[in-house]
Amino acid sequence: SQVEGQISNVVDTEHFTKNLLLLMGVLGLLISGISIFYVRSNIVKPIQEARDRLRQIAEVDGDLTVELPVKNQDEIGDFSRHFNSFVSKIRRTIGDIESSAAEVHRSASAMQSATLRSSKTVDGQAGEIEQVATAMNQMSTTVEEVARHAVAASAAAQQAEQQVRVGNDTLAITRELIERVDQENRNNVSVLSS
């Protein structure tokens, strides 16, 4: 009878242990399921969304209007905020570069127009000088008068030649500035495209 009592205790303990193990297994599965759901919805899903948005930016010719969604106040949310800030700065920089390039183009066009006007003025002055010299030769009656007019015509021609040189120098500087800005724009576009 004592043996039967001990056997009964052993059997009861065995059933209790089996039930406890079964309960722990079910709780373990439940906790694992909840953990997997939490990790999937709070870690994996935001990372996948960030990956998809980055792929969208890369595949749509660098569309810098796309932003990552900021849903949480965790590391992934921080990543999204910092990435959005970075893209915003790139957008502003590109806008500044476009504005600068347009301003340089406008300045170069204005300088080119001024150079062309100067060149026409010099050409007009050269023609007028020639007419004056011809008229003076026809009207002059003395050698002294002819010499005086010749000196004046020579000085005017040198001045006209100097203005042409200045105009050509200005045009060369303008071309060089345009080429530099163009090269910088190409470099910036190359950096942004890579």
Side-chain angles (χ1 to χ4, degrees):
S1 141
Q2 189 177 6
V3 172
E4 289 177 1
Q6 287 180 347
I7 291 175
S8 174
N9 283 341
V10 169
V11 169
D12 288 343
T13 303
E14 181 183 348
H15 284 324
F16 176 75
T17 304
K18 284 182 181 178
N19 288 338
L20 183 62
L21 288 174
L22 182 64
L23 179 63
M24 287 175 63
V26 170
L27 283 175
L29 286 174
L30 183 63
I31 290 171
S32 294
I34 290 171
S35 296
I36 290 171
F37 175 76
Y38 177 80
V39 167
R40 171 120 175 93
S41 64
N42 290 323
I43 296 175
V44 174
K45 187 176 178 186
I47 290 174
Q48 288 174 337
E49 287 177 357
R51 180 202 59 207
D52 293 342
R53 292 293 175 103
L54 292 174
R55 181 181 299 136
Q56 182 182 5
I57 290 170
E59 290 176 353
V60 185
D61 296 329
D63 180 7
L64 297 176
T65 61
V66 175
E67 292 189 346
L68 297 178
V70 179
K71 295 181 180 176
N72 299 326
Q73 297 297 324
D74 57 7
E75 289 80 6
I76 295 174
D78 288 344
F79 170 80
S80 296
R81 272 189 296 284
H82 293 304
F83 178 81
N84 292 343
S85 175
F86 172 70
V87 169
S88 176
K89 288 178 184 178
I90 289 175
R91 267 195 313 263
R92 282 194 301 273
T93 300
I94 289 173
D96 292 345
I97 289 169
E98 287 175 344
S99 297
S100 296
E103 183 61 33
V104 167
H105 180 69
R106 281 191 298 274
S107 296
S109 294
M111 196 170 284
Q112 184 179 15
S113 296
T115 302
L116 288 174
R117 283 192 304 272
S118 295
S119 177
K120 287 179 182 179
T121 301
V122 168
D123 289 344
Q125 287 177 350
E128 290 173 6
I129 290 171
E130 187 177 325
Q131 289 174 1
V132 168
T134 302
M136 287 183 355
N137 283 332
Q138 292 172 356
M139 295 173 67
S140 72
T141 55
T142 65
V143 172
E144 181 181 330
E145 209 173 315
V146 169
R148 191 177 69 242
H149 290 297
V151 168
S154 174
Q158 287 176 353
Q159 182 182 8
E161 184 179 357
Q162 180 64 28
Q163 288 180 351
V164 168
R165 282 190 204 127
V166 168
N168 286 337
D169 290 345
T170 302
L171 184 58
I173 290 170
T174 300
R175 284 186 182 143
E176 183 179 327
L177 285 173
I178 290 171
E179 289 171 2
R180 282 185 195 166
V181 168
D182 184 47
Q183 185 61 41
E184 286 180 23
N185 283 341
R186 286 186 188 142
N187 291 342
N188 289 336
V189 169
S190 175
V191 167
L192 292 175
S193 295
S194 58

